Amino acid sequence: MYDSHQTEMSVLPFEKKEKQAIIFIGIQACGKTTFYHRMLSDGNYAHISLDDLRTRNKESQELMKCLESGNSFVIDNTNPEISNRAPYIQKAKEHGYHVIGIFFQSRVKDCVRRNEERGGKVPSKAIACTSNKLQMPSRSEGFDDLYFVRIENNDFEISTWME
């Protein structure tokens, strides 16, 4: 079972700096939000998530606050398709941000199991549907750095993305 309250931590392969935009990519229940809380929630990164904000308008307002103030942020959505990621990358680049993509290994069966363990918040069919739309990220989208994350022994293993 994946324990989101585990205290042992992985080490980020990048230095936390000002004006970083981190875009998560992965299906529901693959560990994105837990990764944020474990690795990035120390106050350096604003957490921008549709799950929390509920509307694109509120998400856009939060994003603009970060861009205008120069605060680093994390986009914690599934972002399965290039077209989902492009607006975030474009806006971040326009404001001089270093853009990092983090792709989360997304095995449907593992994500369905984790989703059930947390109360089945997302229909299993929706997880499979998002998986079917998943497009692998590439530096050609505008990412300055790309990383691959998988869950191993209740911890996050982070490696540099190989194209």
Side-chain angles (χ1 to χ4, degrees):
M1 184 172 125
Y2 179 65
D3 178 9
S4 63
H5 300 290
Q6 181 184 352
T7 56
E8 185 175 320
M9 304 236 182
S10 302
V11 176
L12 287 173
F14 56 88
E15 187 178 328
K16 293 179 181 180
K17 298 178 183 175
E18 290 184 19
K19 292 191 90 167
Q20 283 181 332
I22 298 177
I23 299 170
F24 287 170
I25 304 149
I27 65 177
Q28 301 91 330
C30 68
K32 298 181 303 296
T33 302
T34 301
F35 183 91
Y36 169 80
H37 287 296
R38 247 204 236 169
M39 307 297 291
L40 300 166
S41 67
D42 59 4
N44 290 335
Y45 295 89
H47 185 234
I48 300 175
S49 168
L50 273 175
D51 287 348
D52 295 338
L53 298 169
R54 303 272 184 230
T55 70
R56 288 281 180 196
N57 185 48
K58 289 180 184 176
E59 179 196 50
S60 180
Q61 290 173 354
E62 288 301 311
L63 178 59
M64 288 311 297
K65 282 183 199 175
C66 289
L67 294 171
E68 290 169 359
S69 66
N71 290 340
S72 293
F73 61 88
V74 173
I75 301 294
D76 181 4
N77 300 330
T78 58
N79 300 310
E81 299 175 277
I82 293 167
S83 63
N84 301 125
R85 304 184 288 261
Y88 303 119
I89 294 168
Q90 179 184 351
K91 287 177 184 173
K93 290 289 188 182
E94 287 171 357
H95 287 81
Y97 277 71
H98 183 87
V99 181
I100 298 170
I102 300 180
F103 179 85
F104 291 78
Q105 183 179 48
S106 304
R107 291 188 190 125
V108 172
K109 67 177 180 139
D110 293 339
C111 294
V112 167
R113 178 185 44 80
R114 278 194 292 274
N115 182 57
E116 289 170 358
E117 289 171 355
R118 66 181 192 189
K121 296 178 182 179
V122 179
S124 296
K125 190 175 184 177
I127 294 172
C129 181
T130 303
S131 178
N132 290 337
K133 294 191 296 186
L134 199 57
Q135 295 175 319
M136 297 296 112
S138 169
R139 280 185 179 75
S140 66
E141 292 178 56
F143 291 111
D144 295 301
D145 295 305
L146 269 172
Y147 299 96
F148 177 84
V149 172
R150 68 185 188 109
I151 298 171
E152 187 68 37
N153 298 320
N154 287 335
D155 199 6
F156 292 106
E157 284 189 4
I158 310 162
S159 56
T160 301
W161 184 265
M162 298 296 177
E163 288 193 36

